[in-house]
Amino acid sequence: MSPEAVYEVLSKVTDPELGRNIVELGFVKDLSIEDGRIAFTLELTTPGCPLKETLTAQCREALLSAFPEVREVDIRVSARVRQDARIQERLSVPVKTVLAVGSGKGGVGKSTVTALLAHLFHRLGAKVGVLDADIYGPNIPRLLPPVQGPEAEGERIVPARTREGIVVMSVGFLVEEGQALVWRGPMLHSMLQSLITQVEWPVLDYLLLDLPPGTGDVQLSASQLLPLTGALLVATPHPLAQEDLRRGVDAFKRLSVPLLGVIENMAGEVWGEGLTARTAESLGIPFLGSIPLSREIAHAGVSGDFSFLDKGELPFRDVVEAVGSRVSVETYRLQG
Ligand SMILES: Nc1ncnc2c1ncn2[C@@H]1O[C@H](COP(=O)(O)OP(=O)(O)OP(=O)(O)O)[C@@H](O)[C@H]1O
Ligand SMILES: [Mg+2]
């Protein structure tokens, strides 16, 4: 049994989302074959990949049926988020992907969903940063309170860190709380530019960009300053919010930002659930899951305490996994 023969068998296993086989995708690493035992690492493209179980089961089955002499198949699973190459071409920051969180309308929970996704990705083992691009009304300092930083080092800024190690930068750290921020177009653009290029961003799998509501100057500046890997839209299931969602979709399309999909927020008894999924379908964009209107989330918005996520099974796993796999599909699409 040669490594080539093993690769040949493994190349029958396909990642259904990327539509290519796992050997061609470079998922198979550190292959070793000895005494009826095959061991390798399956390097997936997102932590907590929803396909983990299916893919490992398919690999094991394929190998056991192709090689009767094999007694044991040992598969370790790891994750490496792929680089959106455009980021390093344009900026010298070690950030792999940039995800903008936007909406057509204010108050739908963009900042809350940004902080929630940051915590969820972090808990799945990813390196996460958050850039508060809502420079008119920065809410990220309250949602992700830092225990350290930010600190100025000459011309450079070392970003803040939360207790968990989520990296955070916000204009809110630089001004007094409650102070109104009035920006003119060019100032706004250069402030955003500083937040991106003057900050010593560490290696990050996902940099989440919390946008202000609507479709204005910040969205335009952000899409000019950064290659955005994609946009996540947040919408509530309220009937009137569906028009805003359409506007949000239209705005990102005009800016040529790929739409990763829509997250429904504040679902539940008051506004129901499911309307956003139907709108997403009619607009031809992926629906990434639903987050309920909940006391715990509302409380986290005030206290910055997301420890409710640590009680038992990780909640909203479906949502963060859906986001992770859409990002990996997008980075592969960009590679061509
Ligand atoms: N799923 C939820 N359950 C309970 N409360 C929520 C939920 N999502 C958001 N909220 C609350 O709704 C309010 C608005 O949320 P948030 O500030 O995140 O919205 P936003 O879209 O970022 O607003 P803006 O457009 O002003 O930036 C906050 O008080 C927040 O705590
Ligand atoms: Mg906000």
Side-chain angles (χ1 to χ4, degrees), residues 103 105-113 134 139 143 210-213 265-266 291-294 297-298 301:
S103 69
K105 182 184 150 88
V108 295
K110 289 175 297 300
S111 304
T112 306
V113 170
D134 190 347
N139 289 140
L143 279 156
D210 179 24
L211 289 170
N265 186 36
M266 307 199 200
I291 295 168
L293 181 71
S294 95
I297 297 177

Side-chain angles (χ1 to χ4, degrees), residues 35 39 113 117 152 155 157 164 179 198 211 215 232 273 287:
D35 302 335
V113 170
L117 284 175
E155 292 280 279
I157 302 168
E164 298 82 1
Q179 188 179 330
Q198 251 173 281
L211 289 170
T215 51
L232 299 165
E273 184 178 342
F287 178 69

Side-chain angles (χ1 to χ4, degrees), residues 236-286:
T236 61
H238 191 285
L240 287 177
Q242 308 309 301
E243 264 319 297
D244 302 308
L245 174 55
R246 286 174 208 279
R247 258 194 293 281
V249 167
D250 185 56
F252 281 103
K253 280 195 175 151
R254 279 170 201 270
L255 295 172
S256 304
V257 177
L259 283 160
L260 298 171
V262 184
I263 298 173
E264 180 172 73
N265 186 36
M266 307 199 200
E269 268 176 42
V270 184
W271 288 336
E273 184 178 342
L275 192 54
T276 316
R278 289 197 290 280
T279 309
E281 196 186 349
S282 74
L283 293 169
I285 51 171

